[in-house]
Amino acid sequence: MATSLGRIFRSFQSISSVSFMKTELIHPPASSSFRTSSVFSILSLPLPFSSKSRDFSLPNSSWNSEMKRLYEHYNSQCEVESEDGEKQKGLWRRLPSYNRSLKYATGGVYLSKLIQSKARLFTRNIKEQGAAFEYVLFNNEEEQRCVGIFQAGHLLEGPPGNVHGGAIATIIDTVTGTHATLLSGTVMTANLNINYRSPIPLGGTVHIESSLDRKEGRKTFLSCRVTSTDGSKLHTEATALFVSINVSTMLLGG
């Protein structure tokens, strides 16, 4: 199977050169071409995007007032105005989010039909807005921090009226995994250690912050805290270990 996929990718190269966006979300040079060693993960968003692709990180009608407030708080810091009135890049950057990155690459629609065509990102596979995972991530490269604003929908219930622990673990893995990818390229979760402190109500909004502890070779160690939006209540805290991997191993199963 791995050999067959390898032939598919090599054949596809002769048809179309696929340029991928690096995790810093900067457009690559026009000469960039698809290589199995290129940085690729659910966070490595390809360009150009299809005009029909939906960016799930943008506000929608299901977002409550607190979700919108925090979005505006961080989004307003993504671009600042200089003394002479020019717009400049701020400390924070909003990270686009799609239900499947591969589909939106140049020519990626063909690859997405060959590689598990029905696959969708786990946290973005519900069409109903507000029903499950509503979240947006912002990254601060200078401070090596990544924050997530998360609103839990009614399909994520565990204990009556509260969010399931597995859903909380999923969003923590999403935020820390995104952060680790931005810091270290393609990674896999090696360890996720979670301490649940207080329940998260369904429909509620929480603030998730991932921070870098250290890097050791291929290993990236992170800490994460899930708090109420005003920071007064600690819901969950976690530590995470991610290990850098060779992308050809992930794509071709080698």
Side-chain angles (χ1 to χ4, degrees):
M1 180 62 180
T3 303
S4 299
L5 282 175
R7 286 198 296 268
I8 290 171
F9 277 103
R10 286 191 292 272
S11 299
F12 188 77
Q13 277 185 288
S14 63
I15 299 173
S16 174
S17 174
V18 182
S19 297
F20 281 91
M21 187 185 214
K22 293 190 73 175
T23 51
E24 289 80 6
L25 304 180
I26 298 175
H27 198 293
S31 61
S32 296
S33 61
F34 178 83
R35 302 188 308 273
T36 55
S37 59
S38 298
V39 176
F40 180 84
S41 71
I42 61 173
L43 274 307
S44 303
L45 301 176
L47 286 178
F49 295 119
S50 162
S51 60
K52 296 181 180 180
S53 60
R54 175 189 169 191
D55 184 350
F56 287 78
S57 71
L58 295 174
N60 64 63
S61 59
S62 74
W63 286 19
N64 60 32
S65 59
E66 195 65 4
M67 184 83 173
K68 293 176 182 177
R69 183 186 70 81
L70 283 176
Y71 174 89
E72 291 300 331
H73 171 74
Y74 285 104
N75 200 53
S76 65
Q77 299 178 64
C78 292
E79 190 176 66
V80 296
E81 190 172 302
S82 63
E83 293 182 357
D84 56 5
E86 293 185 0
K87 296 291 185 180
Q88 297 179 342
K89 185 177 73 171
L91 288 176
W92 292 93
R93 177 169 297 183
R94 181 181 61 82
L95 306 180
S97 180
Y98 299 85
N99 64 7
R100 200 179 192 205
S101 305
L102 178 63
K103 184 178 179 181
Y104 303 112
T106 302
V109 63
Y110 301 106
L111 284 177
S112 67
K113 290 178 180 178
L114 292 170
I115 306 173
Q116 295 292 324
S117 62
K118 294 183 179 180
R120 294 293 179 270
L121 188 63
F122 179 57
T123 56
R124 298 301 196 192
N125 63 5
I126 303 295
K127 290 185 178 180
E128 181 185 351
Q129 293 181 343
F133 294 92
E134 289 291 341
Y135 64 95
V136 56
L137 308 184
F138 292 88
N139 185 60
N140 187 321
E141 184 178 1
E142 182 176 316
E143 299 178 3
Q144 297 183 319
R145 291 192 296 144
C146 184
V147 301
I149 309 164
F150 169 50
Q151 177 182 304
H154 60 272
L155 296 182
L156 302 184
E157 186 178 52
N162 293 294
V163 182
H164 194 287
I168 298 172
T170 296
I171 197 65
I172 289 174
D173 187 52
T174 297
V175 177
T176 55
T178 299
H179 194 197
T181 300
L182 292 169
L183 291 167
S184 304
T186 308
V187 296
M188 293 289 285
T189 308
N191 180 270
L192 190 60
N193 186 33
I194 300 176
N195 291 311
Y196 298 94
R197 302 301 187 188
S198 59
I200 299 174
L202 284 178
T205 301
V206 293
H207 183 275
I208 306 169
E209 180 168 334
S210 172
S211 57
L212 175 66
D213 289 338
R214 67 188 187 278
K215 294 177 68 175
E216 296 177 359
R218 294 171 55 220
K219 298 178 180 179
T220 301
F221 296 84
L222 301 170
S223 294
C224 184
R225 287 169 56 89
V226 182
T227 66
S228 56
T229 55
D230 62 2
S232 63
K233 178 180 288 188
L234 176 63
H235 291 289
T236 316
E237 55 187 349
T239 57
L241 166 61
F242 293 88
V243 177
S244 298
I245 63 169
N246 188 313
V247 72
S248 61
T249 301
M250 178 175 66
L251 288 177
L252 304 180

